Amino acid sequence: MKYALVTGGSRGIGRAICISIGELGYHILINYRSNEEEAVKTLEMLQEKGGTGELMRFDVSKREEVESALGRWMEDHKGECIEVLVNNAGIRKDTMMMWMKNEEWSEVMDTNLNGFFYITRRLLQDMLINKYGRIINVVSLSGIKGLPGQVNYSAAKAAVIGATKALAQEVGRKNVTVNAVAPGFIRTDMTKELKENELKTLIPLYRFGEPEEVADVVAFLASKKASYITGEVISINGGLYT
Ligand code: NAP
């Protein structure tokens, strides 16, 4: 069996990615932090499309939890390898920097940046040994352009973009590719309180995107067809910023 791990797979963009990568024939490890009900819904939606998967609960921001969950999986699946990793789990805690609390900085860093590090480091070794791997990081327009009120989030996503480019150069020889996708405004829980009617006037395609529109690009990057693409950041933002 071929395995793919999608972090933050219980809702939004992560859910759509679980389904799109499931269609490539991977058995999906659906990670989530706390929302079991939604994670089960993702699994059911994946199965309805003919895919297979299982839930894998851990908090990406907690190193011990990541290592014990992935360590357990590896112990139970000796000789098998997770060959696709999508680092999608993310949070934002927006406020102007002068009012930003320590926790608002560190929680955003721990989830969006440190989570990427803990998980990728753990899975990389097997990908290198097997001489095959696909790593896709879900970053953001904020990490490219920087957005006011999101100094913490922009910094974390920009850091993951830098890490994507550096890691791609480290592991390319072993046939492991590392890319990022940078969504603009996508219709999920994360953006549900934003005023789409006002914000869409800034977007050339004049609407927010759908999670599936991100997931299709991620599935392409996860596929064999993307074999000569690495170190790239692909914007999916309706033309909002290029
Ligand atoms: P969402 O609807 O808020 O869903 C977030 C997902 O991440 C949930 O599955 C959640 O799990 C999981 N998660 C959060 N913290 C976690 C942690 N510490 N450990 C494990 N899982 C965790 O978000 P989304 O809009 O789909 O965003 C997905 C990714 O796209 C994020 O990285 C986000 O920064 C990025 N992005 C989104 C947009 C947008 O417009 N929506 C734009 C640019 C970039 P639970 O369900 O268990 O809470």
PDB file of all heavy atoms in Angstrom, residues 12-32:
ATOM      1  N   GLY A  12     -11.874  22.025   5.613  1.00  0.00           N
ATOM      2  CA  GLY A  12     -11.368  23.014   4.655  1.00  0.00           C
ATOM      3  C   GLY A  12     -10.483  22.458   3.555  1.00  0.00           C
ATOM      4  O   GLY A  12     -10.791  21.455   2.903  1.00  0.00           O
ATOM      5  N   ILE A  13      -9.367  23.136   3.353  1.00  0.00           N
ATOM      6  CA  ILE A  13      -8.454  22.782   2.256  1.00  0.00           C
ATOM      7  C   ILE A  13      -7.896  21.373   2.472  1.00  0.00           C
ATOM      8  O   ILE A  13      -7.782  20.582   1.529  1.00  0.00           O
ATOM      9  CB  ILE A  13      -7.321  23.836   2.165  1.00  0.00           C
ATOM     10  CG1 ILE A  13      -7.900  25.198   1.758  1.00  0.00           C
ATOM     11  CG2 ILE A  13      -6.235  23.392   1.189  1.00  0.00           C
ATOM     12  CD1 ILE A  13      -6.911  26.362   1.837  1.00  0.00           C
ATOM     13  N   GLY A  14      -7.556  21.045   3.725  1.00  0.00           N
ATOM     14  CA  GLY A  14      -6.987  19.727   4.029  1.00  0.00           C
ATOM     15  C   GLY A  14      -7.938  18.600   3.658  1.00  0.00           C
ATOM     16  O   GLY A  14      -7.525  17.556   3.132  1.00  0.00           O
ATOM     17  N   ARG A  15      -9.220  18.798   3.930  1.00  0.00           N
ATOM     18  CA  ARG A  15     -10.211  17.766   3.564  1.00  0.00           C
ATOM     19  C   ARG A  15     -10.211  17.538   2.050  1.00  0.00           C
ATOM     20  O   ARG A  15     -10.177  16.397   1.587  1.00  0.00           O
ATOM     21  CB  ARG A  15     -11.609  18.207   4.020  1.00  0.00           C
ATOM     22  CG  ARG A  15     -12.712  17.372   3.424  1.00  0.00           C
ATOM     23  CD  ARG A  15     -14.072  17.790   3.904  1.00  0.00           C
ATOM     24  NE  ARG A  15     -14.304  17.335   5.260  1.00  0.00           N
ATOM     25  CZ  ARG A  15     -15.275  17.775   6.058  1.00  0.00           C
ATOM     26  NH1 ARG A  15     -16.095  18.707   5.621  1.00  0.00           N
ATOM     27  NH2 ARG A  15     -15.426  17.297   7.266  1.00  0.00           N
ATOM     28  N   ALA A  16     -10.248  18.640   1.297  1.00  0.00           N
ATOM     29  CA  ALA A  16     -10.263  18.513  -0.172  1.00  0.00           C
ATOM     30  C   ALA A  16      -8.982  17.837  -0.657  1.00  0.00           C
ATOM     31  O   ALA A  16      -9.006  17.053  -1.619  1.00  0.00           O
ATOM     32  CB  ALA A  16     -10.428  19.898  -0.805  1.00  0.00           C
ATOM     33  N   ILE A  17      -7.867  18.110   0.009  1.00  0.00           N
ATOM     34  CA  ILE A  17      -6.593  17.484  -0.391  1.00  0.00           C
ATOM     35  C   ILE A  17      -6.640  15.975  -0.116  1.00  0.00           C
ATOM     36  O   ILE A  17      -6.167  15.168  -0.925  1.00  0.00           O
ATOM     37  CB  ILE A  17      -5.402  18.149   0.340  1.00  0.00           C
ATOM     38  CG1 ILE A  17      -5.213  19.595  -0.140  1.00  0.00           C
ATOM     39  CG2 ILE A  17      -4.112  17.346   0.138  1.00  0.00           C
ATOM     40  CD1 ILE A  17      -4.192  20.407   0.650  1.00  0.00           C
ATOM     41  N   CYS A  18      -7.205  15.586   1.025  1.00  0.00           N
ATOM     42  CA  CYS A  18      -7.320  14.142   1.320  1.00  0.00           C
ATOM     43  C   CYS A  18      -8.046  13.440   0.179  1.00  0.00           C
ATOM     44  O   CYS A  18      -7.635  12.364  -0.279  1.00  0.00           O
ATOM     45  CB  CYS A  18      -8.108  13.921   2.621  1.00  0.00           C
ATOM     46  SG  CYS A  18      -7.188  14.383   4.085  1.00  0.00           S
ATOM     47  N   ILE A  19      -9.127  14.053  -0.289  1.00  0.00           N
ATOM     48  CA  ILE A  19      -9.928  13.424  -1.344  1.00  0.00           C
ATOM     49  C   ILE A  19      -9.166  13.404  -2.672  1.00  0.00           C
ATOM     50  O   ILE A  19      -9.108  12.385  -3.355  1.00  0.00           O
ATOM     51  CB  ILE A  19     -11.294  14.144  -1.466  1.00  0.00           C
ATOM     52  CG1 ILE A  19     -12.087  13.913  -0.168  1.00  0.00           C
ATOM     53  CG2 ILE A  19     -12.077  13.662  -2.686  1.00  0.00           C
ATOM     54  CD1 ILE A  19     -13.284  14.799   0.023  1.00  0.00           C
ATOM     55  N   SER A  20      -8.516  14.522  -2.998  1.00  0.00           N
ATOM     56  CA  SER A  20      -7.831  14.578  -4.309  1.00  0.00           C
ATOM     57  C   SER A  20      -6.623  13.640  -4.338  1.00  0.00           C
ATOM     58  O   SER A  20      -6.345  13.019  -5.368  1.00  0.00           O
ATOM     59  CB  SER A  20      -7.416  16.011  -4.659  1.00  0.00           C
ATOM     60  OG  SER A  20      -6.418  16.459  -3.770  1.00  0.00           O
ATOM     61  N   ILE A  21      -5.910  13.505  -3.226  1.00  0.00           N
ATOM     62  CA  ILE A  21      -4.749  12.597  -3.225  1.00  0.00           C
ATOM     63  C   ILE A  21      -5.222  11.147  -3.110  1.00  0.00           C
ATOM     64  O   ILE A  21      -4.592  10.233  -3.649  1.00  0.00           O
ATOM     65  CB  ILE A  21      -3.750  12.991  -2.123  1.00  0.00           C
ATOM     66  CG1 ILE A  21      -3.155  14.351  -2.493  1.00  0.00           C
ATOM     67  CG2 ILE A  21      -2.633  11.959  -1.987  1.00  0.00           C
ATOM     68  CD1 ILE A  21      -2.036  14.814  -1.635  1.00  0.00           C
ATOM     69  N   GLY A  22      -6.360  10.952  -2.462  1.00  0.00           N
ATOM     70  CA  GLY A  22      -6.966   9.617  -2.420  1.00  0.00           C
ATOM     71  C   GLY A  22      -7.239   9.111  -3.834  1.00  0.00           C
ATOM     72  O   GLY A  22      -7.089   7.928  -4.141  1.00  0.00           O
ATOM     73  N   GLU A  23      -7.625  10.038  -4.700  1.00  0.00           N
ATOM     74  CA  GLU A  23      -7.919   9.656  -6.098  1.00  0.00           C
ATOM     75  C   GLU A  23      -6.668   9.222  -6.856  1.00  0.00           C
ATOM     76  O   GLU A  23      -6.761   8.579  -7.899  1.00  0.00           O
ATOM     77  CB  GLU A  23      -8.647  10.805  -6.817  1.00  0.00           C
ATOM     78  CG  GLU A  23     -10.099  10.894  -6.356  1.00  0.00           C
ATOM     79  CD  GLU A  23     -10.839  12.153  -6.824  1.00  0.00           C
ATOM     80  OE1 GLU A  23     -10.202  13.065  -7.376  1.00  0.00           O
ATOM     81  OE2 GLU A  23     -12.065  12.207  -6.602  1.00  0.00           O
ATOM     82  N   LEU A  24      -5.489   9.559  -6.323  1.00  0.00           N
ATOM     83  CA  LEU A  24      -4.232   9.085  -6.955  1.00  0.00           C
ATOM     84  C   LEU A  24      -3.919   7.656  -6.545  1.00  0.00           C
ATOM     85  O   LEU A  24      -2.945   7.077  -6.999  1.00  0.00           O
ATOM     86  CB  LEU A  24      -3.056   9.974  -6.534  1.00  0.00           C
ATOM     87  CG  LEU A  24      -3.056  11.454  -6.928  1.00  0.00           C
ATOM     88  CD1 LEU A  24      -1.823  12.153  -6.348  1.00  0.00           C
ATOM     89  CD2 LEU A  24      -3.088  11.611  -8.440  1.00  0.00           C
ATOM     90  N   GLY A  25      -4.708   7.123  -5.602  1.00  0.00           N
ATOM     91  CA  GLY A  25      -4.492   5.735  -5.182  1.00  0.00           C
ATOM     92  C   GLY A  25      -3.766   5.603  -3.851  1.00  0.00           C
ATOM     93  O   GLY A  25      -3.442   4.495  -3.434  1.00  0.00           O
ATOM     94  N   TYR A  26      -3.523   6.719  -3.193  1.00  0.00           N
ATOM     95  CA  TYR A  26      -2.856   6.640  -1.887  1.00  0.00           C
ATOM     96  C   TYR A  26      -3.851   6.327  -0.773  1.00  0.00           C
ATOM     97  O   TYR A  26      -4.993   6.788  -0.811  1.00  0.00           O
ATOM     98  CB  TYR A  26      -2.162   7.976  -1.564  1.00  0.00           C
ATOM     99  CG  TYR A  26      -0.875   8.154  -2.312  1.00  0.00           C
ATOM    100  CD1 TYR A  26      -0.823   8.938  -3.470  1.00  0.00           C
ATOM    101  CD2 TYR A  26       0.282   7.524  -1.888  1.00  0.00           C
ATOM    102  CE1 TYR A  26       0.360   9.088  -4.173  1.00  0.00           C
ATOM    103  CE2 TYR A  26       1.472   7.663  -2.583  1.00  0.00           C
ATOM    104  CZ  TYR A  26       1.505   8.449  -3.722  1.00  0.00           C
ATOM    105  OH  TYR A  26       2.681   8.583  -4.418  1.00  0.00           O
ATOM    106  N   HIS A  27      -3.391   5.576   0.219  1.00  0.00           N
ATOM    107  CA  HIS A  27      -4.132   5.393   1.460  1.00  0.00           C
ATOM    108  C   HIS A  27      -3.816   6.624   2.310  1.00  0.00           C
ATOM    109  O   HIS A  27      -2.653   6.904   2.613  1.00  0.00           O
ATOM    110  CB  HIS A  27      -3.653   4.111   2.161  1.00  0.00           C
ATOM    111  CG  HIS A  27      -4.372   3.823   3.439  1.00  0.00           C
ATOM    112  ND1 HIS A  27      -5.568   3.152   3.478  1.00  0.00           N
ATOM    113  CD2 HIS A  27      -4.043   4.100   4.720  1.00  0.00           C
ATOM    114  CE1 HIS A  27      -5.967   3.038   4.741  1.00  0.00           C
ATOM    115  NE2 HIS A  27      -5.052   3.601   5.508  1.00  0.00           N
ATOM    116  N   ILE A  28      -4.853   7.355   2.708  1.00  0.00           N
ATOM    117  CA  ILE A  28      -4.620   8.665   3.326  1.00  0.00           C
ATOM    118  C   ILE A  28      -4.628   8.592   4.852  1.00  0.00           C
ATOM    119  O   ILE A  28      -5.588   8.094   5.460  1.00  0.00           O
ATOM    120  CB  ILE A  28      -5.708   9.691   2.885  1.00  0.00           C
ATOM    121  CG1 ILE A  28      -5.881   9.696   1.363  1.00  0.00           C
ATOM    122  CG2 ILE A  28      -5.353  11.086   3.401  1.00  0.00           C
ATOM    123  CD1 ILE A  28      -4.698  10.180   0.577  1.00  0.00           C
ATOM    124  N   LEU A  29      -3.568   9.112   5.451  1.00  0.00           N
ATOM    125  CA  LEU A  29      -3.532   9.288   6.904  1.00  0.00           C
ATOM    126  C   LEU A  29      -4.051  10.702   7.154  1.00  0.00           C
ATOM    127  O   LEU A  29      -3.400  11.686   6.791  1.00  0.00           O
ATOM    128  CB  LEU A  29      -2.108   9.113   7.429  1.00  0.00           C
ATOM    129  CG  LEU A  29      -1.418   7.812   6.974  1.00  0.00           C
ATOM    130  CD1 LEU A  29       0.023   7.772   7.440  1.00  0.00           C
ATOM    131  CD2 LEU A  29      -2.185   6.600   7.475  1.00  0.00           C
ATOM    132  N   ILE A  30      -5.259  10.763   7.723  1.00  0.00           N
ATOM    133  CA  ILE A  30      -5.936  12.050   7.899  1.00  0.00           C
ATOM    134  C   ILE A  30      -5.613  12.580   9.295  1.00  0.00           C
ATOM    135  O   ILE A  30      -6.153  12.120  10.295  1.00  0.00           O
ATOM    136  CB  ILE A  30      -7.470  11.882   7.759  1.00  0.00           C
ATOM    137  CG1 ILE A  30      -7.823  11.237   6.416  1.00  0.00           C
ATOM    138  CG2 ILE A  30      -8.187  13.216   7.948  1.00  0.00           C
ATOM    139  CD1 ILE A  30      -9.272  10.745   6.341  1.00  0.00           C
ATOM    140  N   ASN A  31      -4.718  13.545   9.339  1.00  0.00           N
ATOM    141  CA  ASN A  31      -4.363  14.123  10.649  1.00  0.00           C
ATOM    142  C   ASN A  31      -5.349  15.229  11.022  1.00  0.00           C
ATOM    143  O   ASN A  31      -5.864  15.941  10.155  1.00  0.00           O
ATOM    144  CB  ASN A  31      -2.936  14.683  10.586  1.00  0.00           C
ATOM    145  CG  ASN A  31      -2.670  15.677  11.708  1.00  0.00           C
ATOM    146  OD1 ASN A  31      -2.684  16.891  11.490  1.00  0.00           O
ATOM    147  ND2 ASN A  31      -2.485  15.181  12.911  1.00  0.00           N
ATOM    148  N   TYR A  32      -5.578  15.374  12.309  1.00  0.00           N
ATOM    149  CA  TYR A  32      -6.381  16.487  12.820  1.00  0.00           C
ATOM    150  C   TYR A  32      -5.947  16.730  14.259  1.00  0.00           C
ATOM    151  O   TYR A  32      -5.239  15.906  14.849  1.00  0.00           O
ATOM    152  CB  TYR A  32      -7.886  16.167  12.748  1.00  0.00           C
ATOM    153  CG  TYR A  32      -8.304  15.011  13.633  1.00  0.00           C
ATOM    154  CD1 TYR A  32      -8.986  15.234  14.829  1.00  0.00           C
ATOM    155  CD2 TYR A  32      -7.958  13.711  13.298  1.00  0.00           C
ATOM    156  CE1 TYR A  32      -9.335  14.178  15.650  1.00  0.00           C
ATOM    157  CE2 TYR A  32      -8.302  12.645  14.123  1.00  0.00           C
ATOM    158  CZ  TYR A  32      -8.987  12.893  15.285  1.00  0.00           C
ATOM    159  OH  TYR A  32      -9.311  11.844  16.105  1.00  0.00           O
TER     160      TYR A  32
END
